[in-house]
Amino acid sequence: MSGPLVVLVGPMGVGKSTVGQLLAERLGVAYRDTDDDIVAEQGRTIAEIFVDEGESAFRVIEKQSVQRALAGHDGVLALGGGAVLDAGTRALLAGQRVVYLSMDVEEAVKRTGLNTARPLLAVNPRKQWRELMEARRHLYEEIATAVVATDGRTPEEVTQAALDALELKEA
């Protein structure tokens, strides 16, 4: 199998970055986050890209970043919460080990807070988060090799659950 050893998907605030770094450490591989790639390439935050150019322009940048990362990274890769919206990206994820990290709305509110730099949650975060998940949950599930619930679990517990679900051995 070419591409990353593990790809993490899920909503904003679910812990993809934290769990991704722990997974990479335990598997003895590199960690990469496409959101970090975008910020480095663009020289500005994702929120700034949304404000300056809009969501559709951001999604074009995101799609290109994800394509490069899937082709050029063989460790643990975390994708932005909305990366799965693109059908081409979902097609590229077919055959990959994809872990969907899930959480319910109460956990999301606890983790993302109500005043953080989340451009898609600017007004009425609970309602917007629910709407985002209604639009995305089936896409996450469609591409997932494994679904790991994060509610009430520590990052270490989520990491272990992902390793168990994928039957991967630590380095």
Side-chain angles (χ1 to χ4, degrees):
M1 180 168 73
S2 65
L5 182 59
V6 179
V7 179
L8 297 177
V9 299
M12 59 191 87
V14 76
K16 296 181 299 282
S17 297
T18 302
V19 171
Q21 291 168 6
L22 288 169
L23 263 176
E25 194 176 289
R26 290 183 56 183
L27 292 167
V29 297
Y31 169 75
R32 183 169 174 180
D33 184 319
T34 58
D35 281 352
D36 293 343
D37 290 352
I38 291 167
V39 170
E41 291 163 8
Q42 296 291 313
R44 54 197 167 142
T45 67
I46 288 170
E48 289 169 330
I49 298 168
F50 265 79
V51 169
D52 295 345
E53 298 180 39
E55 183 177 359
S56 59
F58 171 76
R59 296 293 173 210
V60 170
I61 295 166
E62 180 178 53
K63 178 181 179 174
Q64 294 165 347
S65 179
V66 170
Q67 286 174 340
R68 283 192 300 274
L70 286 171
H73 183 69
D74 60 4
V76 175
L77 178 65
L79 303 187
V84 299
L85 294 170
D86 181 75
T89 296
R90 292 193 309 278
L92 290 174
L93 291 169
Q96 299 288 335
R97 276 190 201 97
V98 179
V99 176
Y100 163 31
L101 299 180
S102 69
M103 67 180 167
D104 69 21
V105 69
E106 296 308 318
E107 188 81 9
V109 169
K110 276 189 252 175
R111 292 187 194 184
T112 61
L114 303 179
N115 58 358
T116 56
R118 306 276 186 185
L120 292 178
L121 297 182
V123 180
N124 195 343
R126 284 174 196 259
K127 179 177 181 278
Q128 288 183 303
W129 192 86
R130 279 191 188 99
E131 288 172 1
L132 281 174
M133 285 309 297
E134 284 172 22
R136 296 177 182 178
R137 183 177 290 110
H138 71 283
L139 300 175
Y140 293 136
E141 291 170 349
E142 172 189 316
I143 60 167
T145 307
V147 178
V148 175
T150 64
D151 305 271
R153 287 175 149 173
T154 67
E156 292 76 15
E157 290 168 334
V158 173
T159 300
Q160 188 59 55
L163 288 168
D164 293 346
L166 295 174
E167 300 179 1
L168 289 174
K169 302 290 179 237
E170 293 183 48

